[in-house]
Amino acid sequence: PRRILDMSYSRHFLDFQGSSIPTSMRKLMVTKLSPNFREAVTLLRDSPVPIPGDGDLLVRNRFVGINASDINYSAGRYDPSAKPPFDAGFEGIGDVVALGLSASADYSVGQAVAYTKPGAFAEYTVVPAKDAVPVPAVKPEFLTLMVSGTTAYISLKELGGLSEGKKVLVTAAAGGTGQFAVQLAKKAKCHVIGTCSSDEKGAFLKSIGCDHTINYKTENVESVLKKSYPKGVDVVYESVGGKMFDLAVNSLATKGRMIVIGFITGYQNPSGLQPVKAELLPAKLLMKSASIRGFFLNHYLSEYKMALKDLLKMCEKGELVCEVDLGDASPEGRFTGLESVFRAVDYMYMGKNIGKIVVELPHSVNSKL
């Protein structure tokens, strides 16, 4: 007997409730493996708008998040078997403009959702309903929590052992995830030290509660730490790598712990790494009974929903500053449209951002949503 395909949901899908959805869209694709984002990624101007399946949402992206690891992704470092072309970007927020029948049990057209999944650097992305996160509004502030906020929250909770009076050093403290590490450590009643690259960033850090800021462009971080904290620091939240990693190891107190969430200084190198003085590491850790733990968000997905829920609550109550950098201070101005993702990635690697870098995707005025 012939199999009968259940297409009942497709009738529902075709009812967009008045949203005007084009047949083609623009998106960014990795067309060549390279840590040079401009070399690796191509802007496609005429890609078909994807069609959601039964359990999916079609999200019109209004803001997309830029992450340091976007270039690890375009270099194929997360999945050595990945062969181009594949979609770029993995963080977006927007409106549901169409959905499958099963997905309509929990979502409706016009609803604001955020998500993390490959393919965010596009005007429209299909997101499985089970992976979407309902948000109160399409605000870029909520996007800052999806990867950057949860990384800080889960890593400090699971690995930081924070308690009142502990000294916590946050490197790249004014960046997308550093800003949350500073605030969450302060909430745990710790003394927080933040490194940054400008006085403007230092002022921002002070405004979110950082006790001691160190401008590594004008100050010698190692000697400042030795002088101010002769017994060392208890916890380091480290995302820079290279010389900063070495310096942070040397600054650990007895029983100190370092959490490595990245090593951005090496990502643009062919190997993805900056050399570190690792030969002395076993002796240094032993002499201090210190530890170094790596943290990769994908390994802690069981904690993710709970963490995000808590962060969203804090953000809505105004208990958490979610600083967004839309590029207004960059030479060519605000990051608007997919073509400006390239500029936004450059801006991040020049270390110019304060808070999380976000690109706005304006939608056409003929939309009814």
Side-chain angles (χ1 to χ4, degrees):
R2 210 174 56 165
R3 281 177 66 237
I4 296 171
L5 224 55
D6 176 16
M7 292 294 284
S8 56
Y9 77 85
S10 65
R11 281 202 314 281
H12 178 86
F13 164 66
L14 290 170
D15 175 15
F16 302 136
Q17 294 188 19
S19 23
S20 54
I21 301 171
T23 52
S24 66
M25 66 171 188
R26 303 188 323 153
K27 72 171 180 176
L28 295 183
M29 283 206 87
V30 177
T31 48
K32 175 189 172 185
L33 294 183
S34 167
N36 179 331
F37 193 80
R38 286 180 181 271
E39 216 174 76
V41 177
T42 305
L43 173 61
L44 303 183
R45 295 178 185 278
D46 202 17
S47 194
V49 171
I51 295 174
D54 182 45
D56 298 331
L57 312 173
L58 180 64
V59 178
R60 180 177 54 215
N61 295 315
R62 298 275 296 282
F63 296 96
V64 293
I66 305 293
N67 292 284
S69 41
D70 282 321
I71 72 171
N72 285 335
Y73 195 64
S74 70
R77 289 179 186 142
Y78 289 150
D79 180 5
S81 67
K83 298 273 183 289
F86 53 86
D87 294 340
F90 40 80
E91 197 179 23
I93 186 169
D95 317 287
V96 175
V97 288
L99 70 176
L101 188 60
S102 299
S104 69
D106 299 304
Y107 290 93
S108 56
V109 167
Q111 195 165 352
V113 295
Y115 64 89
T116 51
K117 91 177 266 295
F121 291 163
E123 289 173 331
Y124 294 85
T125 303
V126 165
V127 180
K130 64 178 174 47
D131 299 335
V133 177
V135 285
V138 181
K139 283 185 179 170
E141 286 76 11
F142 295 127
L143 192 55
T144 67
L145 304 174
M146 299 298 292
V147 171
S148 301
T150 53
T151 294
Y153 184 103
I154 300 168
S155 64
L156 288 172
K157 179 171 174 271
E158 297 290 317
L159 312 176
L162 301 185
S163 59
E164 189 169 349
K166 288 250 173 107
K167 294 173 185 68
V168 178
L169 171 65
V170 180
T171 63
T177 184
Q179 63 171 330
F180 294 112
V182 167
Q183 293 177 81
L184 294 168
K186 281 306 294 175
K187 281 184 184 298
K189 299 186 176 165
C190 297
H191 175 91
V192 182
I193 309 121
T195 69
C196 61
S197 60
S198 72
D199 292 344
E200 192 192 353
K201 291 184 179 188
F204 165 68
L205 289 173
K206 287 263 165 68
S207 78
I208 59 169
C210 196
D211 297 289
H212 187 166
T213 63
I214 307 172
N215 179 344
Y216 64 81
K217 291 277 176 78
T218 58
E219 298 173 84
N220 181 313
V221 182
E222 194 145 23
S223 51
V224 170
L225 287 170
K226 268 187 186 144
K227 189 180 168 201
S228 303
Y229 309 96
K231 290 188 174 175
V233 296
D234 303 298
V235 180
V236 181
Y237 183 86
E238 216 298 272
S239 61
V240 176
K243 287 178 183 159
M244 188 63 86
F245 173 89
D246 292 329
L247 187 156
V249 169
N250 295 340
S251 305
L252 282 171
T254 302
K255 296 186 182 174
R257 42 179 91 191
M258 186 196 294
I259 305 167
V260 175
I261 63 123
F263 34 94
I264 189 171
T265 48
Y267 293 172
Q268 290 175 300
N269 295 352
S271 69
L273 295 165
Q274 278 272 58
V276 294
K277 293 180 180 141
E279 305 88 354
L280 300 171
L281 199 55
K284 285 179 180 176
L285 295 178
L286 178 68
M287 296 305 285
K288 293 177 175 178
S289 293
S291 64
I292 298 176
R293 293 283 298 270
F295 177 88
F296 186 46
L297 186 59
N298 290 9
H299 298 150
Y300 286 84
L301 294 180
S302 57
E303 311 294 316
Y304 184 82
K305 282 204 163 156
M306 199 60 224
L308 191 56
K309 195 175 167 188
D310 207 7
L311 287 164
L312 278 165
K313 206 182 291 173
M314 284 192 263
C315 181
E316 277 193 273
K317 284 182 179 171
E319 294 169 2
L320 199 62
V321 173
C322 304
E323 190 67 20
V324 172
D325 192 331
L326 282 155
D328 293 310
S330 69
E332 291 169 57
R334 198 180 182 95
F335 302 132
T336 306
L338 283 172
E339 59 281 2
S340 67
V341 167
F342 298 97
R343 275 202 302 125
V345 170
D346 291 344
Y347 183 71
M348 168 176 283
Y349 279 92
M350 288 189 288
K352 299 291 187 193
N353 58 300
I354 294 182
K356 171 87 180 181
I357 301 179
V358 172
V359 173
E360 183 174 9
L361 305 185
H363 58 288
S364 56
V365 287
N366 67 350
S367 163
K368 296 191 182 122
L369 278 185

